Amino acid sequence: MSDTIIVVVEQTESKLNRVSWETITAGQAIAAATGWTLEAAVAGSGVASVAAEVASKKVAKVYAIESPKLAAYTPDAFAAALKQFLTAKQPRLVLMPHTYQVRDFIPKLVTAMGRTAISDCIGFKHEGGKLLFTRQMFQGKLSADVSFTGDGTCFATFQNGAFRGDQAETGASAAPVETVNVEIADNAIRNRPQPAFKEAKQAVDLTQAEVIVSVGRGIPPEQIDRIFDPFFTSKASGEGTGLGLSIAYGIVTTHGGTISVKSEIGKGSTFTIRLPLMPARQEARA
């Protein structure tokens, strides 16, 4: 096993997912702390341009993992391709962004390789020659440092926002790019996800709506008079701050407006905000 870190970046239709830069930043920081070599990899079909983009950063090498069966994302194909590649390279550590796609295929990948993954990390420590990954537990109430035991390739994913993508260091020159062709059996792909969700090209202008309706369960009558009080919440302890409506009330009243509520259990609530119109500005006359 080589003292190598491989960051597996994510792409869709040959476009790099920008959160991958955050994982590159994390990899650079771990490489600086451990002295290990940092490399990167991207899987897909026709991903040379993405590999070249990643090669502009401070990494020793970039691998373009290619197969026609990787043109459209499937967890089976991506897990099979990465298993072939990582089994051959035997890196010490594999890092990925904690995206929906990674969460979809990484359980299949690490199980096939007989390994485990520390997911959703928010940081790391390198103490006494040991690498620790920090992750939140119990809905963020506790942060724990977790480490791997035993030999073999280790996997970790970093939470979006744990590192800054704009702090990924640029290399003095472009890193070399190596194309790795993988063979994926026809029967390896057992399921195919539905087309990825795409946001509508035309935005909805909420300013044109007189009433915005959201489904809810309604507010009990005994709580209506308290919902705008700071720190009042009907949620269990530790699950809410009770500041949302209080802040909204403050913003509205600061602008000379009012906010009121009508609620019915089982049907939901309607909040009405009224703001004074801004008087027309009069142009100064000479």
Side-chain angles (χ1 to χ4, degrees), residues 175-224:
V177 176
E178 178 181 336
T179 300
V180 179
N181 295 304
V182 294
E183 295 294 332
I184 302 173
D186 291 335
N187 60 1
I189 304 175
R190 294 173 294 178
N191 59 75
R192 298 179 184 276
Q194 295 295 317
F197 170 79
K198 293 183 178 181
E199 294 183 2
K201 294 182 179 180
Q202 183 175 0
V204 177
D205 186 2
L206 295 179
T207 62
Q208 302 303 309
E210 293 184 3
V211 178
I212 301 171
V213 178
S214 178
V215 176
R217 60 186 180 184
I219 304 170
E222 63 272 17
Q223 294 180 358
I224 285 288

Side-chain angles (χ1 to χ4, degrees), residues 116-177:
T116 57
I118 300 177
S119 63
D120 212 14
C121 301
I122 60 172
F124 78 94
K125 298 176 183 176
H126 188 245
E127 299 176 345
K130 191 172 186 178
L131 190 59
L132 305 172
F133 292 90
T134 305
R135 68 188 307 272
Q136 294 178 324
M137 305 177 72
F138 303 109
Q139 296 182 336
K141 297 181 180 66
L142 175 69
S143 291
D145 293 331
V146 186
S147 64
F148 292 98
T149 59
D151 299 324
T153 300
C154 301
F155 292 81
T157 68
F158 277 104
Q159 188 179 115
N160 188 4
F163 291 84
R164 288 183 52 176
D166 59 356
Q167 291 184 349
E169 294 183 60
T170 301
S173 59
V177 176

Side-chain angles (χ1 to χ4, degrees), residues 250-266:
I251 294 173
V252 171
T253 55
T254 298
H255 288 81
T258 62
I259 178 171
S260 60
V261 58
K262 291 182 180 179
S263 185
E264 185 175 348
I265 295 296

